[in-house]
Amino acid sequence: MKISDILQKKKTLSFEIYPPKKDSKDIDQIFKTIDRLALLKPDFMSVTYGALGNNTKNTVEIASYIKNKANIEALAHLTGGPSSFLDIDNILNLLNENKLDNILALRGDKPLDSNIEYLKYFNHASDLLTYIKNKDYDFCLAGACYPEGHNECNSLYEDLLNLKIKQDMGASFFITQIFFDNDYFYRLLREARKMGITIPIIPGIMPLVNSKQILNTIKMTGCSIPLSLRTMIERFQNDKEAMRQIGINYSITQIIDLLANDVDGIHLYVMNNAVVAEEIINGISHVLAKVMQ
C-alpha cells in the first residue's frame, strides 16, 4: 500500500531504522527489532541508505522483511548522490520485485572523508524524484525537508523553493530532519503552505538518550538545541540513566505538543532501539488513542 493513501485516511505513526554498516549477522538482530517495533502497530517503517550506497542490498532486504514478513508498510531510502543511472535502475527493479511501494528520494550528504565522485548524476533530490517518476513504475515518492532550513541554502525561503520543486516533481509527502524546538516546525509548515506546498509534512523526532548521541547528532545535522534542553544535558550528561530519562521525556513532550497542533503524523528516529520506542509510545498512549483515528 502507498503511504500517501494511508495519509489521506489518518495521521501516521512511523519508525526509522538503519541497516548494519557491513553484511553481517547484525541483520538478524535488526529483524528481531523490527518484530518488536511491529507490536507497536506503526503505519510504516523507513530504512536508511548508506551515504556511499554501500547498504543497498541490506536496505532492500530489510525493507522487504518489514513489508512481507512483519506486514508493515516499508519506506526505502534511496540516495542519488553517489549513484549512477544504472545503480538506480537496479535498485528500483529490486524494490519492485520485492513488492515495495514507497521510496524516500534523497540527494544525500557527501561524507567528509570520501574521495569518490559525488553528485555526478543527481545534483538534487528533485532530479532523483524526476528520474524515478519517469520510469515505468508506480512508486509512492517522498522527500525530506528541514525545519531550520537546509545548511546549503542561504535562507528558509530558498529552501522552500526547492521543497516546492520536490512536490512538483512527484513527492507525495515529506518527512523532516530532526529538530528539538517545535516552533521551527510550525514556522516551516506555515511558510510551506504559503508557498503552495500542500502535501503532508511529517515531523521527525529523535530521542537523545546519551551524551555521545547528542554530540554526533549536532555534528551531523547542525540542528539547534533549545536552552532548556541544553541546561538538562549540561547538568546530567555524565549520568547515563538521567540522560535516558531526559531524552525520552523531552521527546514525549515534543510529540504531545505536535499532536495537539494537529500534525500529519509522527516519525520516530529510534536508532534501532525498540525499548526506547516502547517507552515513548507507552508514554503517549492515551494521546495517540485520541488523535490517531
Side-chain angles (χ1 to χ4, degrees):
M1 177 182 288
K2 294 182 178 180
I3 295 170
S4 56
D5 291 337
I6 300 174
L7 283 162
Q8 288 181 1
K9 300 174 183 177
K10 65 187 291 291
K11 302 178 189 303
T12 57
L13 171 67
S14 53
F15 304 127
E16 182 160 304
I17 59 175
Y18 58 89
K21 292 182 179 180
K22 299 178 180 179
D23 293 328
S24 70
K25 295 180 181 178
D26 291 343
I27 199 167
D28 293 327
Q29 182 58 47
I30 291 175
F31 291 156
K32 293 178 183 177
T33 298
I34 290 168
D35 290 339
R36 192 163 176 176
L37 289 171
L39 297 176
L40 299 174
K41 301 187 184 305
D43 295 287
F44 66 91
M45 295 188 209
S46 69
V47 187
T48 62
Y49 184 88
L52 298 180
N54 54 8
N55 288 344
T56 304
K57 179 180 177 181
N58 284 339
T59 297
V60 175
E61 183 178 358
I62 292 169
S64 180
Y65 185 91
I66 292 169
K67 172 68 180 284
N68 300 309
K69 298 294 185 180
N71 296 314
I72 303 291
E73 287 305 320
L75 175 64
H77 291 209
L78 185 53
T79 303
S83 305
S84 68
F85 297 138
L86 180 59
D87 291 333
I88 296 299
D89 288 342
N90 289 336
I91 298 166
L92 293 177
N93 187 54
L94 279 174
L95 294 171
N96 188 59
E97 287 179 352
N98 283 272
K99 298 180 173 57
L100 297 167
D101 301 314
N102 305 285
I103 295 174
L104 178 62
L106 306 163
R107 186 201 71 179
D109 296 320
K110 181 180 178 181
L112 297 177
D113 59 352
S114 171
N115 293 319
I116 72 166
E117 189 172 10
Y118 213 80
L119 307 181
K120 181 178 179 181
Y121 297 92
F122 302 98
N123 288 312
H124 306 285
S126 55
D127 298 329
L128 179 58
L129 284 163
T130 303
Y131 186 80
I132 299 171
K133 199 70 176 178
N134 288 332
K135 290 292 179 177
D136 190 23
Y137 297 107
D138 188 28
F139 292 112
C140 168
L141 302 177
C145 60
Y146 305 83
E148 298 181 51
H150 195 284
N151 57 15
E152 294 181 17
C153 290
N154 294 318
S155 67
L156 180 64
Y157 178 77
E158 180 183 336
D159 195 24
L160 288 171
L161 289 175
N162 294 330
L163 205 63
K164 180 63 164 58
I165 293 172
K166 290 182 186 180
Q167 176 181 273
D168 294 344
M169 294 301 101
S172 57
F173 67 96
F174 293 118
I175 297 176
T176 76
Q177 173 65 274
I178 64 173
F179 60 94
F180 300 99
D181 184 340
N182 287 359
D183 286 341
Y184 281 115
F185 176 80
Y186 299 137
R187 181 188 65 167
L188 170 73
L189 189 61
R190 181 178 65 250
E191 298 304 316
R193 298 308 183 221
K194 289 180 183 178
M195 292 281 292
I197 298 167
T198 59
I199 61 179
I201 301 177
I202 301 173
I205 302 297
M206 177 185 284
L208 296 179
V209 295
N210 63 66
S211 300
K212 181 179 179 181
Q213 182 186 27
I214 293 166
L215 294 174
N216 290 339
T217 298
I218 294 172
K219 182 178 180 180
M220 288 174 56
T221 67
C223 62
S224 58
I225 304 295
L227 179 59
S228 59
L229 178 57
R230 186 180 297 273
T231 300
M232 296 179 212
I233 293 169
E234 291 175 352
R235 174 66 176 83
F236 298 104
Q237 60 184 322
N238 296 320
D239 188 322
K240 183 177 179 180
E241 186 54 36
M243 284 304 306
R244 177 183 176 81
Q245 291 177 351
I246 288 167
I248 289 172
N249 285 305
Y250 192 86
S251 291
I252 286 174
T253 300
Q254 264 194 285
I255 293 169
I256 290 174
D257 178 74
L258 289 163
L259 292 174
N261 281 277
D262 206 30
V263 297
D264 294 307
I266 296 294
H267 187 68
L268 272 177
Y269 295 98
V270 297
M271 306 301 289
N272 293 3
N273 192 328
V275 176
V276 169
E278 288 167 350
E279 292 188 41
I280 291 174
I281 299 306
N282 288 336
I284 59 173
S285 58
H286 293 290
V287 175
L288 288 176
K290 185 73 173 177
V291 302
M292 295 290 195
Q293 299 176 0

